Structures are given as structure tokens and as C-alpha cells.
Amino acid sequence: MTNRKVLGYFTIEGAPGGNQDWLPEWEMNMGGCAAVTACDTCIFLSRKDEYRSLYPFNPEKLSRSDFIKFASIMKPYLSPRYHGIDFLETYICGLYDYMADAKNNRLILEGISANVPYEIFAGAIMDQLDRDIPVPFLLLHHKNPKLDDFQWHWFNLAGYDLEGDAKILTVTYGEYQWFGLRDIYETGYERRGGLIRITTRV
């Protein structure tokens, strides 16, 4: 592990990742964050030959129109719902189903609650980023107003910086933002959300 790691995240029209605001369907525009995060993860991984089937379009020629089509494909697997996709297990089941239909079973998904000790939480995030895999992350309620836009929201983690207070890089709505890693962890609520650990099958 180094002191700093930032993934070579893909861009669409100059912005990192897909953007929920592009989606024309009202329910996806308002509540499609889990599907968008899964789309981003699949696109990122599809640039490696062994995961190519996870993205049905050309990962070397990304476009807004293809991303919108991909989000529609992902929608049945991680469809918006009244309470949102607020359990890690729901996300895992949906993404597993998509990967099965994409005929790619090379990945293992595991939910890690943000209620685990901080050292385990931070270590899992940094280990995955060190393996060049984005970290799908669910944040539920948070008492810090700086994180209001991230409440009850899925987004990807794309980097960390351990200089001074540890910071984590988020990517959502086509933007990067840095936050304190401990700030993401200490929400002020008993139920915190968590992350999806992604490993490869031997």
C-alpha cells in the first residue's frame, strides 16, 4: 500500500464516470444511483479482457448515449424502489444476476458493513483500490451537512490519500470530491451502509 492511490477512472464527455442526471426515466433519474454505480464498475472492469463481457458496448469509445442505454439494461437488476437499495445484499444479488446474464462469473462480491471497526473498514477500501478496482459504496443518513448530497446514495470510491488525515475520493454525478475517510465512516447513526468488496475467483 502506498500513501496515495487514484484509479485511472474512465471519462465520458470529459467527466469521470456516468451521470444519473442524464437518465431520462424519472425513477432512474431520481433513484437510479445503485444501477449507475454498477454500470460504472462494469465499464471500468470491462477494459480488461477477462471482464469484457460486462459492458455490452465499446469500452474504448464511451458515449453518453451508450451509457443511458446501459443504465436501462441494468435497471431490471437494480431497479429503484420506495426505500431505495438500502441493503448491501440487495445490491450484491442484483449485480450477481447481471453478471450471470453477461456470462461472466469471474468476480466474488461481499458486503462489508460500515459498522465494522474503522481499521477493517479502511483496510478493505484501500486494499480494493490498490487492486485497481473501484469500491461501490452506500452511505445512509449522515449528520454532517457537507454530506447531505450523499445521504441514502450509492457512489464509487476511486482513490485515497494518507497524507495528514486520511482522505477518500468519491465519484458520482460526473464529479470527483475528496472527503475525510473517517468522516465517511462516522455518520452519527447506528446504521451506516457499507461497501462492496470485489475479488476475483481463483
Side-chain angles (χ1 to χ4, degrees):
M1 185 176 67
T2 62
N3 282 338
R4 180 181 170 91
K5 172 77 176 188
V6 175
L7 299 182
Y9 216 81
F10 65 90
T11 60
I12 302 176
E13 298 187 1
N19 191 328
Q20 192 174 333
D21 285 339
W22 296 342
L23 306 184
E25 297 176 89
W26 180 85
E27 66 270 30
M28 287 291 281
N29 187 273
M30 295 297 294
C33 56
V36 167
T37 301
C39 287
D40 265 22
T41 302
C42 288
I43 292 172
F44 186 95
L45 291 170
S46 74
R47 298 181 297 177
K48 298 179 180 180
D49 289 342
E50 60 265 40
Y51 307 121
R52 178 65 189 85
S53 66
L54 292 178
Y55 181 55
F57 306 103
N58 187 347
E60 303 303 324
K61 294 183 179 179
L62 300 173
S63 68
R64 179 189 293 210
S65 61
D66 282 350
F67 187 87
I68 292 170
K69 293 173 188 174
F70 189 29
S72 293
I73 292 170
M74 190 65 73
K75 178 184 175 182
Y77 302 94
L78 290 167
S79 58
R81 55 208 72 188
Y82 181 72
H83 289 291
I85 296 179
D86 56 340
F87 288 94
L88 303 179
E89 295 78 9
T90 306
Y91 185 99
I92 288 170
C93 288
L95 190 49
Y96 264 141
D97 286 346
Y98 170 75
M99 292 192 302
D101 287 344
K103 295 180 172 52
N104 196 307
N105 65 349
R106 294 174 175 269
L107 297 172
I108 298 170
L109 310 178
E110 176 190 0
I112 298 181
S113 168
N115 292 89
V116 300
Y118 175 75
E119 292 73 18
I120 295 175
F121 170 83
I125 290 172
M126 290 184 282
D127 171 73
Q128 187 154 314
L129 293 171
D130 284 340
R131 291 185 286 107
D132 288 314
I133 300 176
V135 181
F137 193 90
L138 170 65
L139 181 67
L140 297 176
H141 290 303
H142 204 293
K143 292 190 174 181
N144 187 339
K146 291 182 179 179
L147 285 156
D148 280 351
D149 291 341
F150 288 74
Q151 292 197 69
W152 222 261
H153 187 52
W154 283 92
F155 49 93
N156 270 342
L157 305 181
Y160 65 81
D161 189 336
L162 302 182
E163 292 294 333
D165 294 332
K167 296 180 289 295
I168 201 75
L169 183 64
T170 67
V171 56
T172 188
Y173 288 104
E175 294 183 348
Y176 286 129
Q177 289 192 64
W178 287 97
F179 291 101
L181 179 54
R182 194 171 282 277
D183 289 337
I184 292 285
Y185 174 75
E186 295 177 348
T187 66
Y189 290 87
E190 182 176 352
R191 187 174 168 222
R192 299 180 178 182
L195 61 111
I196 306 299
R197 176 153 57 191
I198 301 174
T199 53
T200 57
R201 297 186 187 276
V202 177

